[in-house]
Amino acid sequence: MMPTLKNRLVILAFGLLLTACSSPDEAQIKQYLLPYPVNVSSNSTSEKHGDVYRLKSISVPNYLQKQNIILVNQDGQVYQATHHLWAESIETQLEQNTLTYLATRLPNVQWIAPSQYQITAPYLTISLEKFDASQKGHVSIAGYWTLWSQDNKLLNQKRFHYSANMGKDGYVAMTETLSKLWYQSVIEGFISSTFHKKVE
């Protein structure tokens, strides 16, 4: 028996209702930024007032140069989140916020932005090899930082590999844990190694 026009309209309306109810949650795009630490305190160092350093670059591997948030499992499988994206690239976020953090923590040192390449000064580069989380909530940051003289001679270099478990589920918890590891372990490790006075 063929459905009547009225029945077909009812079926069509019901289908549209189901689509309207299910699609917003499934297709909603969420974007995230790495949170900046609150209450960053300054630290006196052995450096003379007026010393100048430049944060030249913070680089990430190709698989992290995407807007999609990346999850990497222990077996090396890489997953790209479809609806969870970075609002800005990881490199841009880390360069901007790290420059602010260093300038606040080391008030006796003038920190120059990567774009100010015309200024001759010792400079810092950071190369990241890992900056991601697994689907089981394990966050990892690995790479190395290098301090160069103004005439491109190696002054100091150190590899790092830090990991932590997220305290709770979700992408917000992931960004919070990555940010905490970055500042408290990577950047504070650089400050301690370079300026000879461990931050309290």
Side-chain angles (χ1 to χ4, degrees):
M1 182 177 179
M2 296 292 292
T4 65
L5 177 60
K6 181 178 180 181
N7 289 338
R8 286 200 299 267
L9 290 175
V10 170
I11 293 171
L12 178 60
F14 184 67
L16 291 174
L17 178 61
L18 288 177
T19 302
C21 290
S22 60
S23 60
D25 288 338
E26 294 174 358
Q28 184 180 10
I29 302 297
K30 294 184 178 180
Q31 295 185 319
Y32 303 84
L33 291 170
L34 292 165
Y36 185 78
V38 297
N39 300 323
V40 180
S41 60
S42 62
N43 177 61
S44 59
T45 72
S46 58
E47 297 299 303
K48 303 185 297 296
H49 182 74
D51 284 346
V52 178
Y53 289 83
R54 182 160 69 97
L55 175 60
K56 182 178 181 181
S57 64
I58 297 176
S59 60
V60 302
N62 288 335
Y63 80 95
L64 290 175
Q65 293 179 357
K66 302 177 184 293
Q67 190 179 7
N68 310 72
I69 290 181
I70 301 296
L71 302 177
V72 182
N73 282 344
Q74 291 183 341
D75 58 6
Q77 293 186 71
V78 177
Y79 300 88
Q80 295 185 30
T82 304
H83 299 129
H84 300 274
L85 311 176
W86 290 114
E88 286 188 298
S89 71
I90 295 174
E91 289 179 342
T92 298
Q93 292 185 69
L94 290 179
E95 285 181 353
Q96 292 176 348
N97 291 342
T98 300
L99 186 68
T100 300
Y101 187 87
L102 288 169
T104 303
R105 293 294 281 138
L106 302 170
N108 293 337
V109 178
Q110 182 182 357
W111 284 94
I112 304 301
S115 59
Q116 296 176 286
Y117 55 87
Q118 71 278 9
I119 298 177
T120 302
Y123 59 91
L124 170 67
T125 61
I126 305 177
S127 298
L128 285 171
E129 297 161 353
K130 287 182 66 65
F131 193 87
D132 49 57
S134 72
Q135 291 180 318
K136 294 184 178 180
H138 187 74
V139 169
S140 297
I141 299 179
Y144 59 93
W145 57 258
T146 309
L147 188 65
W148 303 88
S149 70
Q150 60 187 28
D151 52 356
N152 302 316
K153 293 180 180 179
L154 178 65
L155 297 177
N156 195 7
Q157 186 177 73
K158 186 175 181 180
R159 295 195 65 85
F160 54 82
H161 189 174
Y162 301 105
S163 60
N165 289 318
M166 293 159 45
K168 51 188 177 181
D169 294 335
Y171 287 91
V172 172
M174 183 204 73
T175 62
E176 291 172 349
T177 307
L178 280 170
S179 180
K180 183 177 180 179
L181 269 184
W182 176 254
Y183 294 107
Q184 293 187 3
S185 299
V186 178
I187 302 306
E188 288 296 336
F190 162 73
I191 292 173
S192 177
S193 297
T194 304
F195 296 99
H196 314 298
K197 189 169 185 178
K198 187 171 174 125
V199 179
E200 295 295 332

